[in-house]
Amino acid sequence: MSSSRNNDPFWWSFFGAGGVFSSFFIPIHVLLLGIALPLAWWTVEPETLLELVRHPLARIYLFMLISLTLFHAAHRIRFTLHDLLLAKQIDTPAAYLCYTGAIVGTVVTLVTVWTL
Amino acid sequence: MDKTIKIQVRRYLPEKQPDPFWQEYEVPLEPKWGVLDALIYIKDHLDGSLSYRWSCHMGVCGSCGMMVNGEPALTCATFLEEYQPGPIRIEPLANFKVLRDLIIDTDDFMGKLKSVKPWLITDEKRDITDGENRQTPAELKAFKQYTLCINCMLCYSACPVVGLNEDFVGPAAIALAQRYNYDNRDSGNAARHDTLLAHGGAFDCTLIGECSRACPKHVDPTGAIQRYKADGAMEYWKRLIWPKAATAPKNDGIVKQID
């Protein structure tokens, strides 16, 4: 076993937080915006929604929801690649690719949420 | 012989030929015979050169684990009748070095098991006059499930991560580490964190869950590993942000083996 520090617990923390956060809240968004709104079970003016998401708490919520979900997905995709391709060699490039994607996504989310 | 069933055994006799080969035997299909009984019959009546491990014949010792039709199983608890009309293919446990026929090398597993210090580590020295170290039923329940592990290594055969990553400490070792971590008499968590947080530790697990499916004792190593990940992640952040608050290894020496 290598003596260098293992950073997997670091990434796992975001994976775990993202899993909890997204499993609680993503279904609500899917129900409201993906089903209820298109089927006209519920109607809302776009201006009203924009006003809602401009509230500081809503901005923080959206940032956490999107960013943590990205980290959750990154970690799961990394491990799925590892398991599906049955290759240890894939792990380091997959880790860089997935986590870089999540970090870039987080920055984009931050800018978007900030400037809404 | 009334009814029979064919058994195909993956043989490996390194002194005779360098590669493994398949050999077929025909054994009586007796009611209630386990796959192990068929192997014993082969050794006693058909081919004395066949080698395999077994001991208790009752699902407790954990010696007779083999691959039966590609699935890791305790051969004493796997019945011939379930595999009719056959043939049944028997191989040594996957993910292990094979020494001979169905006998695997357990040294690697034993080393990994030892690395998580699966024994009671106590802070204070106790002697016989201190009497029993009493526990409430609730305190026992916190870890009892993990004591049921019989070290049969089926979970190592079932785990794809073990197959890919030879450094991975593995399901049973982590479940047994948790058996002591959740024991209120134990204070060895810090010593175990050193192994479980490192490369090859619990975070190498990709949560496939095959270990829990293979476990004949329903220990649920997957659950044990997931619980460790939550505890281990907390410990990781403590060590990163405020090393003084991290669980300091107090003692690694006073050791009582209780199981």
Side-chain angles (χ1 to χ4, degrees), chain A residues 4 6 13 76 83 86 88, chain B residues 164 197-199 206 236-237:
Chain A
S4 66
N6 179 15
S13 305
R76 181 40 68 201
D83 294 340
L86 299 180
K88 211 160 63 159
Chain B
L164 286 172
L197 283 175
H199 291 288
T206 62
Y236 172 87
W237 286 101

Side-chain angles (χ1 to χ4, degrees), chain A residues 38-58:
Chain A
L39 293 179
W41 296 348
W42 172 56
T43 49
V44 63
E45 292 302 316
E47 292 74 29
T48 316
L49 265 187
L50 198 59
E51 202 179 325
L52 176 68
V53 298
R54 277 179 177 151
H55 189 280
L57 285 178

Side-chain angles (χ1 to χ4, degrees), chain B residues 17-214:
Chain B
Q17 67 177 79
D19 296 318
F21 58 96
W22 288 95
Q23 193 162 350
E24 190 171 272
Y25 304 95
E26 196 160 351
V27 302
L29 182 61
E30 297 281 354
K32 307 296 174 204
W33 261 24
V35 171
L36 179 61
D37 297 297
L39 293 174
I40 293 169
Y41 179 89
I42 294 168
K43 191 164 178 79
D44 287 352
H45 300 280
L46 306 176
D47 185 350
S49 73
L50 180 68
S51 303
Y52 53 92
R53 282 199 184 100
W54 71 287
S55 180
C56 76
H57 208 304
M58 49 193 263
V60 174
C61 74
S63 314
C64 69
M66 295 166 208
M67 305 301 284
V68 180
N69 281 359
E71 298 276 343
L74 290 182
T75 49
C76 66
T78 305
F79 297 95
L80 294 180
E81 286 175 318
E82 293 165 22
Y83 292 90
Q84 288 186 79
I88 307 174
R89 285 167 85 85
I90 304 173
E91 296 166 82
L93 281 179
N95 299 338
F96 287 94
K97 198 175 125 193
V98 180
L99 296 176
R100 182 183 182 83
D101 288 344
L102 301 165
I103 295 177
I104 52 148
D105 186 350
T106 61
D107 286 356
D108 184 55
F109 168 71
M110 292 303 174
K112 286 173 175 175
L113 192 56
K114 205 173 161 191
S115 76
V116 301
K117 302 184 168 60
W119 49 74
L120 268 191
I121 299 172
T122 56
D123 281 340
E124 78 232 63
K125 196 173 175 125
R126 293 172 57 86
D127 67 35
I128 201 103
T129 56
D130 296 325
E132 311 93 326
N133 204 339
R134 291 185 179 184
Q135 282 184 308
T136 65
E139 286 165 342
L140 175 66
K141 195 173 171 232
F143 64 86
K144 192 175 176 205
Q145 183 184 9
Y146 305 136
T147 68
L148 302 177
C149 174
I150 55 171
N151 300 339
C152 66
M153 296 168 280
L154 298 194
C155 54
Y156 284 70
S157 268
C159 174
V161 180
V162 170
L164 286 172
N165 176 359
E166 61 189 22
D167 292 334
F168 180 40
V169 70
I174 302 173
L176 282 164
Q178 291 288 68
R179 177 252 170 276
Y180 290 93
N181 283 340
Y182 289 123
D183 189 328
N184 67 311
R185 299 165 297 179
D186 180 90
S187 40
N189 293 36
R192 295 185 197 103
H193 280 312
D194 291 340
T195 304
L196 295 177
L197 283 175
H199 291 288
F203 288 89
D204 281 27
C205 162
T206 62
L207 187 53
I208 294 165
E210 282 296 302
C211 52
S212 292
R213 206 169 72 90

